[in-house]
Amino acid sequence: MSHFRAFLVTLLALDAVVFVVGSVFAPPDPVTQLLLVGPALLLAPAIAWWLVYRDGFARLQGAVDPDEE
């Protein structure tokens, strides 16, 4: 899979997680949800870029299972 396609898939997955977590933990007020979900959606592309282009997935896997090489 190309890096750009992996970036898009990761970004969409992060956006879905942001919406689910925001709807569970934020009160049903739209303004409050926007204050919580908005910054997370702005941060999602940076996190997706780090995971795909800077080998963030490998680093996370190494942190979770340090014995695996």
Side-chain angles (χ1 to χ4, degrees):
M1 184 180 332
S2 70
H3 284 297
F4 184 68
R5 188 172 179 188
F7 172 77
L8 287 179
V9 169
T10 304
L11 181 60
L12 290 174
L14 286 173
D15 288 345
V17 168
V18 165
F19 278 114
V20 169
V21 170
S23 66
V24 169
F25 290 111
D29 176 31
V31 174
T32 306
Q33 285 186 350
L34 186 62
L35 288 174
L36 293 174
V37 172
L41 287 177
L42 292 175
L43 190 61
I47 295 171
W49 178 83
W50 178 78
L51 287 171
V52 173
Y53 290 105
R54 302 295 291 176
D55 294 328
F57 284 120
R59 292 180 189 183
L60 288 176
Q61 185 177 6
V64 172
D65 191 11
D67 295 334
E68 188 175 311
E69 292 186 17

